[in-house]
Amino acid sequence: MKYIIVLISFLANLFADNNTNTIEQNYKREKMILLVKVSQGEGSTKELEETKIFYVDFIKHLKNNDGSDYLLCKLLSKIKHKEMITHVIIGGRFEGGKIQKNIEMLPVNIAYVINNKLLNENYMDFSKGEFVGIGEATDYTKEYYTKSDSR
């Protein structure tokens, strides 16, 4: 009986992992460019306030137990901080603030990725990011690719 319970538990976990991997792969394939407008920088992020607007390319969702939506994104132009920043985390500012296609001016939190190990992880690890400000995100995918096609 003990072995049957272990086997059922193993199969349930296997199914859950396969389902999660499929979802993760779908997120990775989704194309989404966000236009992020910075409204307020935090602490020593003068360079972020000077940037005001930047574009990011969605890479993947990062899971977290707090239920918030976190997106790992690649900056389309780098920001100089203490070091060169190439990736950011965009998170919904308010509960239920889902970052998805067709959003317009959604309030978001912005964090720099300060430890590139986060790029290979699936869970949001707050020790690998640095909160730098708040702003608004708008889906700019269609406009971005239309612009690119006309070049």
Side-chain angles (χ1 to χ4, degrees):
M1 182 70 173
K2 184 178 178 182
Y3 294 110
I4 292 173
I5 293 171
V6 170
L7 179 61
I8 290 170
S9 176
F10 171 76
L11 291 174
N13 285 335
L14 181 64
F15 175 77
D17 286 345
N18 285 339
N19 194 22
T20 301
N21 288 338
T22 303
I23 292 168
E24 295 275 324
Q25 290 166 359
N26 288 340
Y27 282 141
K28 288 179 186 175
R29 281 188 238 130
E30 181 182 2
K31 291 282 186 196
M32 185 166 52
I33 303 294
L34 295 174
L35 164 66
V36 180
K37 292 183 181 179
V38 178
S39 55
Q40 181 181 347
E42 180 79 15
S44 64
T45 59
K46 184 178 177 188
E47 63 279 351
L48 183 64
E49 284 189 1
E50 289 173 357
T51 303
K52 290 289 185 200
I53 294 176
F54 58 90
Y55 299 89
V56 296
D57 187 4
F58 165 73
I59 296 175
K60 64 181 174 180
H61 284 267
L62 295 172
K63 299 175 196 169
N64 193 276
N65 293 337
D66 68 6
S68 295
D69 200 20
Y70 297 101
L71 272 62
L72 176 65
C73 299
K74 181 177 182 179
L75 284 161
L76 294 179
S77 56
K78 296 175 180 122
I79 295 175
K80 181 141 176 58
H81 184 47
K82 297 169 191 163
E83 55 191 57
M84 199 59 76
I85 301 297
T86 59
H87 292 79
V88 294
I89 300 144
I90 305 293
R93 179 114 177 105
F94 302 111
E95 188 174 335
K98 197 100 171 108
I99 305 168
Q100 58 194 2
K101 290 276 194 181
N102 302 317
I103 58 168
E104 289 187 34
M105 299 173 58
L106 180 75
V108 293
N109 292 321
I110 306 162
Y112 292 152
V113 173
I114 57 170
N115 182 334
N116 285 338
K117 289 181 182 177
L118 185 60
L119 303 180
N120 299 316
E121 296 176 6
N122 293 320
Y123 291 89
M124 179 59 208
D125 181 345
F126 293 101
S127 70
K128 295 177 182 160
E130 178 183 332
F131 177 76
V132 292
I134 61 174
E136 297 174 335
T138 297
D139 181 3
Y140 197 72
T141 308
K142 184 177 178 184
E143 294 83 351
Y144 181 82
Y145 286 109
T146 302
K147 228 185 227 185
S148 295
D149 290 343
S150 66
R151 291 182 203 163

